[in-house]
Amino acid sequence: MNNIISCRNVSKHYKNKRGIHKLNFDVKPGEIIGLIGPNGAGKTTLMKVLLGLAQAQGSIEVLGMSPVQQRTEILNQVSFIADTAILPKWITAEQSIAFVAGTHPKFDINKARLMLEKTDVPFDAKVSQLSKGMITQLHLILIMAIDSKLLILDEPTLGLDILYRKSFYQQLLNDYFDQDKTIIITTHQVEEIEHILTRVVFLARGEIVLDEQIERLQQRFSEATVPHDQAAAIDNAIQRSKGLAGTTLLFDHSVCEPPRSLPTTTPSLSDIFVATVTPNAEGTKA
């Protein structure tokens, strides 16, 4: 099996809106993919389709299986954290570990306990006594202790402060990820996951508007700031924004190279995201 996920012309339309439309992409083992898009872009819809929680048109394979016809088999090999995931308020951290150990055949109870010892979550504390950050830590431990090939995180740090967000992703890299595992993270907070990704997929209006390896982004995109009165003469930027220092121009080299005389720098992932998902917005040039 070469691909963890294969999607061909996958669409899911609701009565009053488009969910996802004719998506084509593959996911290989060992990738950490950021599935990034604004609210309503189709990120959660796609996750539900991949997990067999929603049916869609087109061809979909996850771990070589059909999400709808072989949902149980897929869920035994895939771990998932949703933005609305909850744990019973009455259960303690230790009891939650014991419960998952008794229900999931691939759960490593010793690994879970060792990971919990590294956190500030008490073993005997009930979920009702924990902060939101602690609950997220506990939930992540329960998921990471499962020997799964694919981990899907749907807005996993929504509502957490910056310290817990950084701790969350550091724990993810230290205690779960290796070259045989694959992670997909959906979020609209680009900057917080940029440093851990190997690939980004930008969604807008249910469609993929960019799919690129992180290392390729530095070669493909550049930006430059020029005096306001000189900006109008440069007409091939995909985005332009005015600031106190001048007008910042962003270039996509796959479309057109910037002027050779123009000194350029590498834009942030969030700048590339804004430019590609809103190409016709005010202040940009398609």
Side-chain angles (χ1 to χ4, degrees):
M1 179 181 63
N2 295 324
N3 294 323
I4 296 292
I5 296 172
S6 291
C7 289
R8 296 291 179 271
N9 294 317
V10 175
S11 298
K12 171 67 176 178
H13 295 172
Y14 298 97
K15 183 177 180 180
N16 297 320
K17 68 174 184 176
R18 172 194 291 185
I20 51 178
H21 184 67
K22 293 186 177 180
L23 301 189
N24 292 280
F25 67 96
D26 296 319
V27 176
K28 298 185 180 302
E31 291 193 289
I32 304 179
I33 298 175
L35 184 63
I36 301 168
N39 292 331
K43 304 185 301 296
T44 298
T45 296
L46 177 56
M47 295 302 97
K48 289 180 178 180
V49 168
L50 294 177
L51 294 168
L53 302 175
Q55 295 191 28
Q57 297 176 319
S59 172
I60 310 167
E61 283 192 356
V62 178
L63 301 171
M65 296 177 282
S66 164
V68 174
Q69 298 176 1
Q70 297 167 283
R71 179 184 168 196
T72 300
E73 292 91 332
I74 287 176
L75 292 180
N76 281 334
Q77 300 184 55
V78 176
S79 297
F80 176 57
I81 297 181
D83 62 342
T84 55
I86 59 173
L87 294 170
K89 293 184 177 181
W90 52 265
I91 202 169
T92 66
E94 173 65 24
Q95 288 171 337
S96 67
I97 290 175
F99 174 79
V100 180
T103 56
H104 202 294
K106 293 189 175 183
F107 185 80
D108 187 334
I109 191 170
N110 292 323
K111 181 178 181 179
R113 286 171 174 163
L114 287 173
M115 287 191 290
L116 189 62
E117 288 177 355
K118 298 177 185 178
T119 73
D120 52 359
V121 180
F123 275 72
D124 59 352
K126 293 182 179 181
V127 168
S128 61
Q129 300 171 317
L130 302 178
S131 68
K132 184 170 183 178
M134 290 180 178
I135 294 172
T136 302
Q137 282 184 312
L138 175 57
H139 203 152
L140 180 62
I141 287 169
L142 296 175
I143 293 301
M144 290 193 302
I146 297 173
D147 184 22
S148 58
K149 296 180 179 179
L150 174 63
L151 173 59
I152 296 177
L153 306 173
D154 188 10
E155 299 279 5
T157 60
L158 196 64
L160 299 185
D161 63 39
I162 188 170
L163 293 179
Y164 272 116
R165 294 203 303 269
K166 286 183 176 294
S167 174
F168 179 94
Y169 289 114
Q170 194 60 51
Q171 188 178 14
L172 186 66
L173 292 180
N174 291 343
D175 296 327
Y176 176 81
F177 182 69
D178 60 43
Q179 295 305 311
D180 295 324
K181 298 181 185 298
T182 303
I183 303 175
I184 299 177
I185 306 169
T186 78
T187 184
H188 62 278
Q189 297 172 316
V190 183
E191 65 284 345
E192 74 173 20
I193 63 170
E194 180 174 1
H195 66 290
I196 70 169
L197 301 178
T198 64
R199 175 181 165 196
V200 291
V201 177
F202 290 165
L203 274 182
R205 300 167 293 279
E207 298 182 1
I208 294 176
V209 295
L210 183 141
D211 183 351
E212 194 69 87
Q213 299 293 323
I214 285 291
E215 59 187 20
R216 279 273 306 141
L217 287 178
Q218 296 181 352
Q219 303 170 21
R220 177 173 168 179
F221 294 93
S222 64
E223 67 179 5
T225 300
V226 301
H228 297 307
D229 58 355
Q230 297 179 19
I234 305 172
D235 61 359
N236 60 345
I238 64 169
Q239 186 191 50
R240 54 186 64 224
S241 57
K242 291 184 177 181
L244 294 177
T247 299
T248 299
L249 308 173
L250 193 144
F251 302 93
D252 181 351
H253 297 198
S254 69
V255 177
C256 189
E257 295 284 343
R260 291 186 178 181
S261 61
L262 196 64
T264 60
T265 59
T266 301
S268 68
L269 185 60
S270 58
D271 288 338
I272 297 172
F273 171 69
V274 171
T276 52
V277 303
T278 56
N280 296 313
E282 184 178 353
T284 68
K285 187 176 183 68

